[in-house]
Amino acid sequence: MPVAVVTDSTAYLPDELIEGYGIHVVPLYVVLAGRSGREGWDIGPEEVARTLSVRGQTVSTSRPTPGDFVAAYRGALDDGADRLVSIHLSSELSGTCDAARLAASQVGEHIVTVVDTRSAAMGAGFAVLAAARSAAAGADPATVVRTARETADATRTYFVVDTLEHLRRGGRIGSAAAVLGSALAVKPVLHVQDGRVVPLEKVRTSARALSRLVQRAVETAGEGPVSIAVHHLAAPEKADRLAAELRDRLPQLRELHVSELGAAIGAHVGPGAVGIVVAPFWQEPAEN
C-alpha cells in the first residue's frame, strides 16, 4: 500500500530531498507591496527581507485554501498512492492544519491522515523527512504516521531574532514579552513549546545569544545520532558560523542542512534571524 507524504511550504526541506522522496508541497500565501503570491513559487526570502528592511513596510501571510490541499491530495493519489500522510506546521501558528483537515474530509479521512507537528520550519521538516523515509522503506500508513508524530515530539527548535517586533505584529509572541525585550535591550533566545513561540532565556548581546543557541543544541543532541538544521533570514554568515561550530562539537551528527527561511516564516522573524533545529536521526528499524 504506497503511502505518499504531503506537507506545506514552511517545512523548508532541501529541494533534492523533496524530489528524491516524492514529497508533495502545498504553498502558503504571502502578501507584500500590494500583491499576494505563493511562498517559494512567486515570492522568495530575498523579497521579504528587502521589504521588512524598509521602515513602515509590512508582510503578511495566509494559509493555503482547502482547495489547494484537495488538489495536492488528488494529485498524489493519481500518482499511485493509496494513503496520504499530511504533515504541517503548528496549528497554534497557522490555520494550515485546519485547511488540510477540511480537505481530508472531502477526499476521505480514511485516506488522508493530518499530523500537526506543533512546530515550524525544519521542526516540522524533520518529521516530514522521517515519514517520507519510513514510507520509502515500505512502512504501512500507521507506522508512517507514528514516525512523523514521534519525530515531531522529539525535535527542538531554538532561535534568535534581531527584533521581536515582527513576531509581535504577526501575533506569534505576546506583546508583553516583545515590549520587555525591547525595553531592556536584551536578545532573548526563543523556542517553540507546545506549538507556540515563547522566550527561553534572556542574554545581553548578539554574540552571547548565538553562543547559547549552540550550547542549547549541543545539550539537546546528547550522545545519539542526530540531525540538525540551521536556518536564517538574510544572515548567511551567521548561519555558516553556527553550522561550523556544530560540526566540530557534535561527533554523532548524521546530517546537517543550512537553509534560508522562506517568506512565510521569514515575515514573522525578520532579517537577521537565525535558528537551530535538533532532531533524532531517523534510521530504518532493523529486521527481526
Side-chain angles (χ1 to χ4, degrees), residues 83 101 104-113:
R83 292 285 300 274
R101 290 190 179 104
S105 69
Q106 296 177 44
V107 173
E109 293 178 340
H110 63 292
I111 296 174
V112 185
T113 301

Side-chain angles (χ1 to χ4, degrees), residues 7 9-18 23 122 125-126 128-129:
T7 189
S9 56
T10 68
Y12 304 135
L13 286 160
D15 289 342
E16 62 270 19
L17 293 177
I18 292 172
I23 298 167
M122 280 295 286
F126 278 127
V128 175
L129 184 55

Side-chain angles (χ1 to χ4, degrees), residues 91-275:
S91 59
E92 298 285 350
L93 301 175
S94 168
T96 299
C97 263
D98 291 336
R101 290 190 179 104
L102 286 170
S105 69
Q106 296 177 44
V107 173
E109 293 178 340
H110 63 292
I111 296 174
V112 185
T113 301
V114 177
V115 176
D116 180 354
T117 64
R118 310 284 289 175
S119 191
M122 280 295 286
F126 278 127
V128 175
L129 184 55
R133 286 170 169 164
S134 178
D140 59 65
T143 300
V144 175
V145 170
R146 184 173 66 252
T147 297
R149 288 177 172 154
E150 289 177 349
T151 301
D153 289 346
T155 299
R156 297 293 178 265
T157 301
Y158 308 103
F159 64 105
V160 174
V161 296
D162 275 356
T163 172
L164 293 168
E165 183 62 16
H166 302 299
L167 284 165
R168 184 196 66 78
R169 285 180 185 172
R172 269 61 179 186
I173 196 170
S175 296
V179 170
L180 180 62
S182 299
L184 297 178
V186 298
K187 289 288 184 184
V189 176
L190 306 165
H191 68 145
V192 180
Q193 182 179 54
D194 297 328
R196 295 178 178 272
V197 175
V198 296
L200 181 61
E201 61 179 287
K202 302 182 184 73
V203 295
R204 284 291 181 182
T205 67
S206 294
R208 177 63 176 162
L210 295 179
S211 176
R212 289 301 297 153
L213 272 185
V214 172
Q215 187 59 38
R216 286 281 183 177
V218 170
E219 291 170 356
T220 300
E223 300 298 324
V226 68
S227 298
I228 296 284
V230 178
H231 288 308
H232 72 94
L233 181 63
E237 298 85 0
K238 286 195 288 188
D240 288 343
R241 288 199 304 270
L242 291 177
E245 189 167 352
L246 289 165
R247 288 190 188 98
D248 289 341
R249 297 184 61 179
L250 292 174
Q252 291 293 327
L253 181 61
R254 292 292 185 268
E255 62 181 332
L256 173 63
H257 306 288
V258 180
S259 63
E260 189 159 26
L261 291 166
I265 299 297
H268 297 293
V269 297
V274 290

